Amino acid sequence: MRDPAPVHDLLDWYDRNARRMPWRISPSDRRAGVRPDPYRIWLSEVMLQQTTVAAVKSYYEVFTSRWPTVIDLAAAEDADVMAAWAGLGYYARARNLLKCARAVAEDHAGVFPDTREGLLSLPGIGPYTAAAVSAIAFDLPETVVDGNVERVMARLHDEHTPLPTAKPILTQMATALTPQDRPGDYAQAVMDLGATICTPRKPACGICPWRTACAAWEAGTAADLPKKLPKKRKPTRLGIAYLARRVDGAWLLERRPDKGLLGGMLGWPGSDWGEAPQEDPPIRAEWREVPAEARHTFTHFHLRLTVKTALVPMDRAPLRGDFVELPDFSPTDLPTVMRKAFDLAKDA
Ligand code: SF4
């Protein structure tokens, strides 16, 4: 880096260009004394992990209108929260969300601890979330490093060590820049810079407030950074989903075990997911195979689900799972892969 990146240039830029987000307090409101609600900042940060701002907004609105405070969320039924989270993915986050809300309600009288250490002591809050909530909700000089910040730091310093090896170096660089003044706005400003100007493919260096300090801009290497180690190819797993419908319209569903993929979510009973899934129908029936597969990609593998459907009489008892009658069944309560299977089956 040629000069230390002038933090105030970035903050000036943020004052004019901060993205509007439902959980965010704008720089002008901050100056006027408005303080963020730690519950909303925490909720948004948990939702934003591995997910885009655009995908999170509608979920955030639903959660904050149904459960406006952490005490309300703590008192919610598990099944209602899991259903409201359906489609957002990474379902362990929803289970941890509830655990954390209940710990705040029961052990902290509904008030989030206002230190990084206090936040870290809560279930489901790791170093990233603790730093983000400390900085954004409590304006503490904690360093928040997400993918946007890593990219900006790599370019600002023309750092060519590939990710993920470069993570500690980039974190150190980000820490060195974190100011004591307005650290919350600063944390959000770097993320906004990465999301809107210093974007992965075509950074808009011409309008960047850090251009004169940026080593990659000077070297002409911005678009090649950050370097990344080649990704491993994802394997493909196969599975079978059984969608049984009773003659009264009720669907046979099964709640998945809390531990593991899609843990705690409602779904279609099915086989194991692997190289050669074994038939394991949840009820005796004449199964028909839908002529298309439900395909979905998880973090570590692609899944191809064979979808089988059957119509069963009222008096046929399932071997596992429970029939959910129509008024209580909503496909939006299902995780995305299960919804894809439903979309294929309902038209078959
Ligand atoms: S000058 Fe370009 S590469 Fe450097 S921080 Fe700004 S947008 Fe990113």
Side-chain angles (χ1 to χ4, degrees), residues 151-157 193-194 196-199 202-218 221-223 225:
R151 184 170 58 257
V152 173
M153 290 302 134
R155 290 173 174 173
L156 201 55
H157 296 79
L193 187 76
T196 62
I197 302 249
C198 195
T199 51
K202 286 192 181 159
C205 303
I207 53 167
C208 176
W210 270 357
R211 191 181 57 178
T212 55
C214 181
W217 178 71
E218 188 175 68
T221 52
L225 296 174

Side-chain angles (χ1 to χ4, degrees), residues 100 104 108 112-123 125 130 134:
C100 183
V104 173
H108 299 270
F112 273 85
D114 60 1
T115 62
R116 186 172 181 274
E117 290 66 34
L119 290 162
L120 272 173
S121 72
L122 293 169
I125 293 200
S134 301

Side-chain angles (χ1 to χ4, degrees), residues 68-79:
T69 69
V70 70
I71 306 242
D72 296 320
L73 182 61
E77 294 288 337
D78 289 36

